[in-house]
Amino acid sequence: MQSTSHAFKDNAHEALGNRHLQSALDKMRAGFPQRRLDAIGKLPEFEDLREQGREIKNHVLENLDWYLERYERNVIAAGGHVHWARTPEEMRQIVLGLCRKLGARTVTKGKTMIAEEVGLNDFLESEGVTPIETDLGEYIIQLRREPPSHIIAPAIHLTKGQVEKTFRETHTDLPPDRNLEEPRSLVAEARTMLREKFLKADVGITGANFLIAETGSSVIVTNEGNGDLTQLLPRAHIVLASLEKIVPTLEDAAALLRLLARSATGQDMSVYTTVSTGPRRAEDPDGPGEYHVILLDNGRSGMLGTEFQEMLRCIRCGACMNHCPVYGAIGGHAYGWVYPGPMGAVLTPSLIGIENAKHLPNASTFCGKCESVCPMKIPLPKMMRHYREREWQRRLSPPAARVGLKFWAFLALRPPLYHFFYAIAAQVLGLLGRRQGSFYNLPLAGAWTATRDMPAPQGRSFQEMWHQRRKKKAV
Amino acid sequence: MSPAREEILGKLRGALKRGPLTGERAAKLEARLANHPAGIVPRRSEGLDRKGLTKLFEDQAVEIATTVERVRTLADVPRAVADYLSCHNLPAEFAAAPDPLVDKVPWSERPLLKLKRGKPSPTDAVGLSVGFCGIAETGTLMLLSGPDNPSTLNFLPDDHIVILPASRVVGPMEEAWRQLRESRGGAMPRTVNFITGPSRTGDIEQKLEMGAHGPRRQHILIVEDESLR
Ligand code: SF4
């Protein structure tokens, strides 16, 4: 997918003024966090499970090469195929090669962020293979030719009115006077439209929530059942997964599944958790005749062994964005690439380069909520800080900010000078602002005062009062 | 071997500052796979007897909008299925798994019920399968693909009925894995389906709607007969 992360500020500005988006985000902020709380409230072991999840993934990352080889061996033993892709381009070519070999004209797709990452849909289309998204949210945004705005709820930025309009424009064979007012009728219409596609598709492509080394299995988790129809009905099932999706055993998968749905949607378990191992067996009445897994690196090997390694524990639950005040204000599209919110603010610069995404690690208030809800205990704010440091070292931050910060650092390293300047500034601002009580506009801080007022200082500084208090005590 | 594979593995090893794992470290990983230790298991299903497990399973299943009926023996199944079908205005014809347990049901007692054995056609409104396990912890069904239970039965029909002997209800998912390992000597079926309620979506304004792509309704018949395995 083409990135617009460099234009984050403009994107965000636009998002704040988008009425539809803001009404959709209101609903999100009210929904996800409460459901998560309700679910973990019923599981006293949740905190311990987080710690355990963190350990399992850390263990995998330390031995990732070994587990990947073992996983590969077991996929092959079960009659499947494993392909390795260093780059998005390699992954696209492997998918296309398989489609060509199978004579595939249409491909159904379960929700996969990896396919978004490598820009698969546009590519397949340009090569004459029609991809059909089957997750309801993905289907809607595919019709609208938009990217997903959330990793588990891709159409969360839309209102039902917008979906209705899209369906009316696309499903032109249906009676124009049909009632599509309620989500129920929209869901039913999509179900009917997609059922046909499922039955006709030649190849089914899904992502993977986990890859199990012990058995060579891939695991997908959905609520709709679209992922299952996608992999069950066509002649071949292709799994797209990134390297770090590995877990050692079935038991480890069980342990992480307890975290995933609760953190994502506040369910104990998502409706369908499907563990697939190889193609249809000789005696099986259904299932795909071929089973392929394509493993994607695309920069992940470069994160291993660095301060960003911990990001590879991510299980893509979306909790960090559901709880993020910045995501909650601007939605996912403003982030400009596949992965939005706090996890995107770390992952995007890791995968496409900090020079292309330098605003993202700054799009944070550092409130720390993301880390506190992350089931894998990923220190997201710490890693954003690392990126801010890199940005500084590589002189990617804007000149005004650099000069300002340097000046501030000069003063802060000299406390007497700092207090001297501070006292003067407080007095001057206090005098100037005496009449109005606050400033609506400040020179050099125009961006700040554009959206808020700065209260005028009221006399003495904290430091002054502190010193006086100490003096008094000493007396 | 593909150059991509070698390069990726090489990069990973470079990042981890070591070569391929051998000797003791590899042996430790082998042992971890061979022993597949279970981690923290939620206490909610701990120490429950058969009755307790069945109750927890039923409570959890109902919570996620599955409907459950308990019947005493397999002989009660035809009546229960007929009632379910008529209560929802469904046709008396349905696709049924070729599972041996389905053969033991005295269907002839309800001559109006018409069973089609095997995988469903796209027009079949109702499917009937047999559960491998019921997981009490979350009210989840575990179904295995294979000649006895085509997986399409779990997804294509609008209504999915599952027969589950109470003796197959276990506590946590780890126990279900244990049963699978024991019953097939560690071999995995092509698909293991864990199903926790009917299909749903919240993709439009987060409003929960049932029947997105899979069954709109999920109905479980728990057969209490202790002699059934
Ligand atoms: S970073 Fe944590 S909270 Fe965010 S998606 Fe990944 S696992 Fe979930």
Side-chain angles (χ1 to χ4, degrees):
Chain A
M1 176 181 158
Q2 208 61 37
S3 148
T4 62
S5 300
H6 53 87
F8 175 79
K9 283 192 178 173
D10 293 340
N11 296 348
H13 205 79
E14 216 175 286
L16 286 169
N18 181 332
R19 189 167 44 86
H20 289 298
L21 175 65
Q22 290 302 326
S23 112
L25 287 172
D26 283 345
K27 293 208 173 76
M28 184 206 84
R29 283 192 301 259
F32 278 129
Q34 188 57 46
R35 286 200 290 272
R36 173 185 172 276
L37 267 186
D38 292 345
I40 66 176
K42 285 186 270 176
L43 189 70
E45 294 88 352
F46 191 77
E47 269 314 299
D48 297 337
L49 285 165
R50 281 177 77 204
E51 191 51 42
Q52 169 181 274
R54 181 176 166 247
E55 275 163 27
I56 291 174
K57 275 289 193 170
N58 280 350
H59 168 78
V60 168
L61 293 174
E62 287 304 321
N63 303 289
L64 190 54
D65 54 327
W66 192 90
Y67 277 123
L68 279 165
E69 285 191 300
R70 177 54 55 96
Y71 167 75
E72 179 187 42
R73 197 165 102 192
N74 287 330
V75 174
I76 295 169
H81 304 269
V82 178
H83 313 260
W84 300 70
R86 283 166 288 195
T87 59
E89 169 67 13
E90 282 187 355
M91 181 173 255
R92 292 192 296 261
Q93 289 299 340
I94 297 169
V95 174
L96 181 64
L98 291 171
C99 289
R100 289 269 150 83
K101 197 188 78 184
L102 291 155
R105 291 219 306 273
T106 64
V107 169
T108 40
K109 285 180 67 215
K111 219 179 93 51
T112 140
M113 295 311 291
I114 296 296
E116 298 289 341
E117 191 179 320
V118 306
L120 188 65
N121 284 1
D122 287 350
F123 173 75
L124 286 181
E125 247 172 90
S126 72
E127 296 290 336
V129 179
T130 311
I132 300 149
E133 294 291 351
T134 63
D135 171 86
L136 178 59
E138 292 280 351
Y139 175 67
I140 294 167
I141 59 169
Q142 186 186 27
L143 295 180
R144 296 172 60 91
R145 302 218 144 257
E146 284 175 4
S149 68
H150 189 290
I151 59 172
I152 65 157
I156 198 150
H157 57 287
L158 297 172
T159 58
K160 66 181 181 202
Q162 289 172 295
V163 178
E164 174 180 351
K165 186 158 170 279
T166 304
F167 279 14
R168 288 197 189 281
E169 282 163 11
T170 323
H171 304 152
T172 46
D173 289 351
L174 299 175
D177 56 350
R178 67 194 188 281
N179 187 336
L180 286 181
E181 239 166 62
E182 284 310 311
R184 171 158 312 166
S185 43
L186 295 165
V187 172
E189 182 162 316
R191 178 183 172 107
T192 315
M193 301 307 287
L194 283 165
R195 194 44 83 92
E196 265 169 60
K197 315 267 187 199
F198 279 125
L199 296 166
K200 285 194 194 134
D202 303 304
V203 167
I205 297 180
T206 69
N209 292 85
F210 306 104
L211 303 173
I212 303 177
E214 174 198 11
T215 54
S217 313
S218 54
V219 182
I220 62 165
V221 175
T222 76
N223 273 323
E224 299 183 1
N226 64 308
D228 287 280
L229 290 171
T230 297
Q231 61 171 272
L232 195 50
L233 299 174
R235 279 177 285 143
H237 175 202
I238 303 177
V239 179
L240 309 182
S242 48
L243 305 175
E244 79 283 7
K245 287 283 171 281
I246 294 272
V247 296
T249 64
L250 299 169
E251 283 74 8
D252 293 316
L256 294 178
L257 283 167
R258 291 197 177 96
L259 293 167
L260 179 58
R262 289 186 174 89
S263 303
T265 48
Q267 292 166 283
D268 281 7
M269 283 273 280
S270 300
V271 176
Y272 301 109
T273 299
T274 300
V275 182
S276 310
T277 316
R280 153 193 209 154
R281 309 289 151 78
E283 67 282 10
D284 279 352
D286 48 22
E290 288 187 26
Y291 175 83
H292 297 266
V293 183
I294 313 176
L295 297 171
L296 177 72
D297 181 352
N298 195 28
R300 285 158 178 90
S301 58
M303 296 166 71
L304 202 65
T306 71
E307 62 265 59
F308 304 108
Q309 168 165 327
E310 293 185 86
M311 192 61 220
L312 296 173
R313 287 204 301 267
C314 175
I315 54 172
R316 305 288 190 269
C317 70
C320 54
M321 56 201 77
N322 295 342
H323 292 80
C324 175
V326 177
Y327 180 98
I330 60 174
H333 284 158
Y335 291 80
W337 201 54
V338 186
Y339 302 105
M343 57 84 77
V346 175
L347 203 54
T348 304
S350 301
L351 300 185
I352 68 172
I354 179 70
E355 62 283 2
N356 297 313
K358 59 183 181 190
H359 295 303
L360 301 192
N362 292 295
S364 167
T365 63
F366 279 171
C367 69
K369 191 76 190 166
C370 50
E371 180 175 358
S372 75
V373 297
C374 173
M376 304 306 292
K377 293 194 159 185
I378 298 173
L380 294 153
K382 188 179 94 187
M383 287 189 280
M384 286 182 229
R385 213 171 278 131
H386 285 315
Y387 268 123
R388 292 187 186 184
E389 279 163 19
R390 284 202 179 182
E391 201 192 322
W392 177 268
Q393 283 155 5
R394 294 181 49 189
R395 306 182 158 275
L396 294 168
S397 31
R402 297 182 71 82
V403 171
L405 272 177
K406 274 198 180 137
F407 178 65
W408 183 83
F410 176 84
L411 286 180
L413 285 171
R414 293 162 182 80
L417 205 59
Y418 187 91
H419 294 145
F420 176 71
F421 266 104
Y422 189 90
I424 292 184
Q427 275 182 14
V428 171
L429 286 177
L431 274 174
L432 288 176
R434 204 174 32 190
R435 217 151 44 90
Q436 286 175 318
S438 52
F439 294 95
Y440 307 126
N441 200 348
L442 271 182
L444 297 179
W448 199 86
T449 46
T451 48
R452 59 215 121 173
D453 301 335
M454 155 118 171
Q458 304 281 318
R460 293 167 310 155
S461 71
F462 171 77
Q463 289 276 352
E464 272 176 63
M465 294 200 275
W466 179 256
H467 282 300
Q468 268 180 8
R469 221 177 94 131
R470 293 248 306 243
K471 259 190 223 154
K472 253 194 214 151
K473 269 202 181 152
V475 174
Chain B
M1 291 294 138
S2 80
R5 178 186 191 276
E6 294 317 302
E7 189 182 312
I8 290 171
L9 289 173
K11 272 193 179 172
L12 295 178
R13 289 179 188 131
L16 295 166
K17 301 191 181 56
R18 58 168 175 72
L21 289 177
T22 50
E24 206 180 309
R25 271 193 78 176
K28 264 198 185 153
L29 297 181
E30 289 287 0
R32 193 182 186 288
L33 289 190
N35 302 330
H36 47 82
I40 300 163
V41 171
R43 285 180 290 273
R44 60 164 78 144
S45 65
E46 207 178 71
L48 294 178
D49 59 4
R50 168 112 348 271
K51 244 178 99 192
L53 281 177
T54 313
K55 174 156 189 336
L56 178 62
F57 176 78
E58 186 175 346
D59 291 349
Q60 294 287 57
V62 168
E63 185 108 338
I64 38 134
T66 297
T67 50
V68 179
E69 182 182 346
R70 293 198 197 201
V71 296
R72 245 174 3 94
T73 68
L74 283 180
D76 301 318
V77 168
R79 193 248 344 125
V81 170
D83 285 356
Y84 178 83
L85 296 178
S86 71
C87 155
H88 291 290
N89 274 327
L90 292 163
E93 188 188 53
F94 58 93
D99 192 284
L101 209 70
V102 178
D103 294 329
K104 290 197 197 137
V105 176
W107 295 106
S108 55
E109 283 176 16
R110 292 273 165 161
L112 286 181
L113 290 180
K114 224 175 123 210
L115 274 72
K116 294 195 334 188
R117 308 300 295 275
K119 65 175 187 180
S121 76
T123 49
D124 284 324
V126 183
L128 178 123
S129 321
V130 176
F132 176 74
C133 269
I135 300 173
E137 179 190 350
T138 47
T140 301
L141 284 166
M142 181 189 197
L143 294 130
L144 308 185
S145 70
D148 292 347
N149 281 282
S151 326
T152 28
L153 271 177
N154 310 341
F155 296 99
L156 276 183
D158 276 11
D159 282 77
H160 189 212
I161 305 174
V162 178
I163 301 178
L164 183 73
S167 60
R168 296 189 186 179
V169 176
V170 299
M173 185 185 263
E174 282 79 354
E175 180 57 22
W177 284 134
R178 200 179 66 79
Q179 304 256 343
L180 178 66
R181 289 181 200 273
E182 275 178 10
S183 74
R184 311 172 132 241
M188 293 288 283
R190 187 192 68 76
T191 300
V192 179
N193 287 123
F194 292 101
I195 303 182
T196 313
S199 161
R200 66 195 65 188
T201 182
D203 272 352
I204 299 175
E205 292 193 351
Q206 290 199 56
K207 187 160 180 307
L208 196 63
E209 291 295 341
M210 294 304 185
H213 290 296
R216 298 169 201 270
R217 282 182 296 243
Q218 174 88 46
H219 186 63
I220 304 178
L221 295 175
I222 299 180
V223 188
E224 288 175 326
D225 185 350
E226 281 289 326
S227 66
L228 274 186
R229 283 282 155 250

